[in-house]
Amino acid sequence: MAYDFDLFVIGAGSGGVRAARFAAGFGARVAVAESRYLGGTCVNVGCVPKKLLVYGAHFAEDFEHAKGFGWSLDSPEFDWPTLIANKDREIQRLNGIYRKLLLDSGVTLLEGHARLTGPHTIEINGKQYSAERILIATGGWPQVPDVPGREHAITSNEAFHLKVLPKRIVVVGGGYIAVEFASIFNGLGAQTLQAYRGDLFLRGFDGSVRKHLHEELLKRGVEVRFNCDIERIDKQADGSLKLTLKDGGTLETDCVFYATGRRPMLDNLGLESVDVQLDKEGYIQVDEHYQTSEPSILALGDVIGGVQLTPVALAEGMAIARRLFQPEHYRPVDYNHIPTAVFSLPNIGTVGLTEEQAVEQGHSIQVFESRFRPMKLTLTDDQERTFMKLVVDSSTDRVLGCHMVGPDAGEIVQSLAIALKAGATKRVFDDTMGVHPTAAEEFVTMRSPVSR
């Protein structure tokens, strides 16, 4: 059968664009359909605008530190609309770059909502297209629990487009998005409370990292409440919000931001027309080749519920393009030693196993830790402390995990990820010269394991 396209990609986020561009570069006839914005969550309402807001939030601290270095500053003022307008301009620039990348690669870009009508057919803007293979790359979407008054809450989607900065905000959730936005709003001057229903936020991260970040957020003025769950949200006559807690307590705020997880974005996708199976969490089930239960349909990225990070979706997109259209260069994605950063203030950087994971997997371990006040802060009143940790297999000397909380943690851990990927031992770390004076050198100067 002759098809209109060899590959039809639904979703122009990181993974979808990567798969489309390279498949086209390998000679395939490719189309991409996008109904919202080019670049997906990361570029528009995720990593990129969030990092820009984190930079903005850091300036209050920088102005305070400057005094210790002899700089006299007039009272600095922050203007939220200026930050948002400049952020929007940068996002528009990136949207244009994504468009150019696709078109220059020979990809057909179709803007509108694509819906499956069969294993090889897609409908968009009232027109039918056929494809030998279809790739679903529609990503995820924030979800708010079904509490009364949930319509008064916002998510990360709306936070980037607020007209004014709230004077008071409650951030609900205990994942990385929650701690990042608590840091952002606090740094920009909002009275910030983070509420989490569990005992300690950032479940799945190293326990020492979680505790250290909690201490640092408190120092910065973020109010953090654990074992705190919201029962209902009521809007008051003055426009403020009253939060009733499950323990009977109440909170008053101007804005409620929910960061309580994301769901796969499968709305009106037409999955009832094909044999694509979902798992119990609602994600698309795929095999090791990102193949769904429908032979002609593949899926990648956040919609399959794996490691939900932009570089992972990019790697999956590349793997699919190579396997389908340049199999001699195919390499499967290696999900081991994936580094990640949390852009809270201070930042978290981590790669490899946590101490808890290493023990659960049966490793006999040594743990090396260091807590210190960064050199930059020694001329200031800031009492922030940086935390670094190595988890080492005591029988092989191999470094199993590196963890950091402090300035530029993500930048530093990126390089450490290469070492872990290469199988570096603690001896290799010890024999590596440090760059002095830097915080990063602490990772190669930790000599004595901590006792547990």
Side-chain angles (χ1 to χ4, degrees):
M1 176 180 175
Y3 297 101
D4 297 324
F5 299 102
D6 300 312
L7 178 67
F8 194 107
V9 181
I10 304 177
S14 301
V17 169
R18 175 62 63 89
R21 285 179 55 217
F22 279 85
F26 297 151
R29 296 168 301 146
V30 183
V32 171
E34 176 54 59
S35 61
R36 194 168 287 107
Y37 30 53
L38 299 179
T41 296
C42 177
V43 167
N44 295 277
V45 288
C47 331
V48 173
K50 172 192 68 184
K51 188 74 179 290
L52 294 174
L53 265 59
V54 169
Y55 284 137
H58 208 289
F59 275 95
E61 186 177 83
D62 291 340
F63 291 139
E64 193 63 33
H65 291 167
K67 298 175 185 176
F69 292 88
W71 288 90
S72 297
L73 300 170
D74 295 331
S75 297
E77 294 183 358
F78 170 68
D79 185 64
W80 171 266
T82 298
L83 174 59
I84 297 304
N86 291 340
K87 177 270 297 180
D88 288 344
R89 187 171 62 250
E90 173 61 11
I91 300 309
Q92 289 168 8
R93 185 184 73 86
L94 294 174
N95 291 155
I97 288 175
Y98 269 77
R99 180 183 300 277
K100 189 173 188 302
L101 285 172
L102 286 169
L103 297 179
D104 287 355
S105 300
V107 175
T108 299
L109 176 59
L110 302 170
E111 297 186 71
H113 183 81
R115 189 173 185 278
L116 297 167
T117 56
H120 295 279
T121 54
I122 311 97
E123 180 184 321
I124 179 170
N125 298 330
K127 187 174 180 181
Q128 292 274 346
Y129 296 91
S130 64
E132 184 175 3
R133 293 183 179 88
I134 300 168
L135 173 61
I136 300 173
T138 48
W141 200 252
Q143 59 182 358
V144 177
D146 191 18
V147 299
R150 66 194 296 270
E151 67 273 12
H152 302 307
I154 67 168
T155 68
S156 54
N157 283 356
E158 296 79 34
F160 293 113
H161 303 287
L162 290 172
K163 299 299 182 185
V164 296
L165 177 69
K167 292 182 178 179
R168 302 171 297 174
I169 188 166
V170 173
V171 178
V172 184
Y176 73 92
I177 295 174
V179 298
E180 287 174 337
F181 274 96
S183 294
I184 288 169
F185 285 113
N186 177 68
L188 295 177
Q191 181 182 322
T192 306
L193 183 152
Q194 182 176 353
Y196 176 50
R197 65 183 182 180
D199 294 330
L200 184 63
F201 52 31
L202 293 178
R203 183 164 50 92
F205 283 76
D206 188 273
S208 303
V209 166
R210 300 165 72 193
K211 292 173 186 174
H212 188 86
L213 183 68
H214 180 213
E215 294 168 4
E216 294 301 326
L217 289 180
L218 295 178
K219 288 180 188 177
R220 290 168 182 259
V222 179
E223 183 179 354
V224 183
R225 293 196 189 183
F226 297 129
N227 300 302
C228 179
D229 208 356
I230 295 173
E231 188 169 81
R232 64 177 298 115
I233 304 169
D234 292 291
K235 193 162 190 176
Q236 307 297 290
D238 63 357
S240 65
L241 300 174
K242 178 184 176 182
L243 312 184
T244 302
L245 308 179
K246 288 190 175 178
D247 65 4
T250 60
L251 294 170
E252 280 202 9
T253 187
D254 301 309
C255 183
V256 181
F257 177 112
Y258 268 85
T260 47
R262 296 173 66 83
R263 64 176 178 86
M265 188 55 175
L266 301 174
D267 300 5
N268 194 28
L269 191 59
L271 290 182
E272 68 278 3
S273 304
V274 293
D275 182 28
V276 171
Q277 300 297 312
L278 308 181
D279 66 18
K280 61 182 180 180
E281 302 296 329
Y283 292 99
I284 294 177
Q285 288 184 328
V286 296
D287 63 15
E288 69 275 15
H289 298 304
Y290 313 103
Q291 188 77 49
T292 72
S293 47
E294 184 72 74
S296 60
I297 299 179
L298 304 100
L300 60 68
D302 291 0
V303 80
I304 65 175
V307 181
Q308 298 186 17
L309 297 171
T310 295
V312 173
L314 292 170
E316 291 171 349
M318 176 67 83
I320 287 173
R322 281 177 169 159
R323 186 178 71 83
L324 295 180
F325 303 110
Q326 202 176 66
E328 65 273 17
H329 291 130
Y330 169 69
R331 294 196 306 273
V333 178
D334 183 356
Y335 292 96
N336 295 309
H337 300 115
I338 296 174
T340 190
V342 177
F343 295 106
S344 50
L345 294 174
N347 295 176
I348 295 172
T350 182
V351 60
L353 299 182
T354 67
E355 180 179 347
E356 295 78 9
Q357 289 169 336
V359 171
E360 288 172 5
Q361 292 182 20
H363 294 278
S364 174
I365 63 170
Q366 288 185 311
V367 174
F368 299 81
E369 291 183 354
S370 179
R371 288 176 174 82
F372 57 92
R373 194 167 174 227
M375 182 178 179
K376 180 183 177 182
L377 302 185
T378 57
L379 301 186
T380 76
D381 295 328
D382 195 329
Q383 298 303 308
E384 176 186 323
R385 298 182 71 80
T386 289
F387 171 76
M388 293 181 175
K389 178 173 183 175
L390 293 175
V391 180
V392 180
D393 187 304
S394 55
S395 60
T396 64
D397 198 43
R398 183 168 179 169
V399 179
L400 302 174
C402 302
H403 310 279
M404 177 179 173
V405 183
D408 300 316
E411 306 288 346
I412 292 171
V413 166
Q414 174 68 83
S415 298
L416 294 176
I418 300 171
L420 262 66
K421 199 81 169 176
T425 61
K426 182 63 169 62
R427 174 68 180 272
V428 169
F429 274 62
D430 293 342
D431 289 347
T432 300
M433 295 288 183
V435 179
H436 184 75
T438 65
E441 70 178 317
E442 195 74 13
F443 271 117
V444 298
T445 58
M446 289 188 277
R447 296 288 186 266
S448 300
V450 298
S451 60
R452 286 284 189 261

